[in-house]
């Protein structure tokens, strides 16, 4: 969609902005609105989420599900979607690092005899990629642990469940922390 040589004015057009901004909103609505009509949002341990009610009705044949039957399927699909998106971001970060390395390696043929090879851009890109991937992956780690347990049809003990739920409550606000820090640094540099 984005082509080499585009100017800022071309990127500011409403068509291009809509092409970048609408797909995430549409995907979020497609995943969050249908569970409302199937009564899949129910109380869990600490929060209301995609869950059946009562919470143990899927695993206990003596307890009938009164709401949100098959909600765990939707929950697993949502977590799998997040995991796949996270893995795609990591793959593209690795491809970016390899591209920068390739460009720096091509420029080695223009070095003078005895001149040291410079990989500063590759190193800088790699560290920035690691920070970005970590900022995206770490807050979702508890959810990925829940996903692994669910896919193995195992239940967590109360102690470990409480630990992962508290960790999730602590890490979830960090999703926007690095974006906010980056914006704050930009504003601080503009003032200085």
């Amino acid at each position: 969609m984005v082509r080499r040589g585009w100017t800022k004015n071309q990127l500011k057009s409403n068509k291009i902005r809509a092409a970048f901004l609408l797909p995430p909103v549409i995907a979020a609505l497609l995943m969050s609105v249908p569970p409302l009509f199937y009564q899949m949002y129910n109380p869990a341990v600490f929060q209301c989420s995609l869950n059946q009610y009562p919470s143990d009705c899927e695993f206990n044949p003596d307890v009938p599900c009164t709401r949100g039957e098959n909600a765990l399927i939707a929950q697993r699909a949502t977590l799998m979607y997040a995991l796949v998106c996270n893995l795609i971001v990591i793959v593209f970060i690795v491809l970016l690092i390899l591209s920068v390395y390739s460009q720096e390696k091509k420029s080695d043929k223009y070095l003078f005899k005895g001149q040291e090879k410079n990989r500063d851009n590759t190193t800088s890109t790699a560290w920035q990629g690691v920070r970005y991937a970590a900022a995206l992956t770490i807050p979702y780690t508890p959810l990925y642990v829940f996903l692994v347990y669910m896919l193995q049809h195992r239940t967590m003990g109360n102690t470990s469940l409480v630990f992962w739920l508290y960790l999730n409550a602590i890490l979830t606000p960090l999703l926007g922390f690095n974006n906010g820090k980056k914006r704050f640094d930009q504003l601080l540099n503009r003032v200085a």
Side-chain angles (χ1 to χ4, degrees), residues 103-155:
Q103 291 296 322
E104 283 188 334
K105 195 172 180 179
K106 285 179 185 177
S107 68
D108 287 347
K109 62 184 174 186
Y110 300 108
L111 294 175
F112 294 111
K113 241 183 183 177
Q115 190 175 3
E116 194 174 309
K117 295 177 183 178
N118 186 359
R119 299 286 184 255
D120 288 344
N121 288 335
T122 302
T123 304
S124 174
T125 304
W127 278 113
Q128 189 170 357
V130 166
R131 285 192 301 268
Y132 183 77
L136 190 64
T137 305
I138 290 172
Y140 281 108
T141 301
L143 297 177
Y144 297 149
V145 170
F146 292 142
L147 177 65
V148 169
Y149 270 91
M150 281 190 292
L151 291 177
Q152 294 177 352
H153 299 289
R154 293 174 43 199
T155 57

Side-chain angles (χ1 to χ4, degrees), residues 49-163:
S49 66
L50 289 171
N51 202 9
Q52 72 277 349
Y53 186 80
S55 62
D56 61 343
C57 70
E58 184 174 305
F59 304 111
N60 189 349
D62 297 333
V63 179
C65 288
T66 58
R67 291 174 46 102
E69 196 169 335
N70 298 323
L72 292 182
I73 294 170
Q75 187 182 49
R76 290 175 189 135
T78 303
L79 291 174
M80 287 296 290
Y81 173 76
L83 179 63
V84 168
C85 288
N86 199 338
L87 292 174
I88 288 171
V89 166
I90 291 171
V91 166
F92 277 103
I93 288 172
V94 169
L95 291 174
L96 174 66
I97 293 167
L98 290 174
S99 174
V100 171
Y101 175 75
S102 171
Q103 291 296 322
E104 283 188 334
K105 195 172 180 179
K106 285 179 185 177
S107 68
D108 287 347
K109 62 184 174 186
Y110 300 108
L111 294 175
F112 294 111
K113 241 183 183 177
Q115 190 175 3
E116 194 174 309
K117 295 177 183 178
N118 186 359
R119 299 286 184 255
D120 288 344
N121 288 335
T122 302
T123 304
S124 174
T125 304
W127 278 113
Q128 189 170 357
V130 166
R131 285 192 301 268
Y132 183 77
L136 190 64
T137 305
I138 290 172
Y140 281 108
T141 301
L143 297 177
Y144 297 149
V145 170
F146 292 142
L147 177 65
V148 169
Y149 270 91
M150 281 190 292
L151 291 177
Q152 294 177 352
H153 299 289
R154 293 174 43 199
T155 57
M156 270 187 205
N158 279 343
T159 307
S160 60
L161 178 65
V162 168
F163 167 77

Side-chain angles (χ1 to χ4, degrees), residues 2 9 27 45 57 72 85 94-95 124-125 146 152 178-182 184-185 188:
V2 177
N9 290 336
V45 177
C57 70
L72 292 182
C85 288
V94 169
L95 291 174
S124 174
T125 304
F146 292 142
Q152 294 177 352
N178 278 336
N179 290 335
K181 182 184 176 303
K182 183 78 170 175
F184 179 74
D185 290 343
L188 194 61

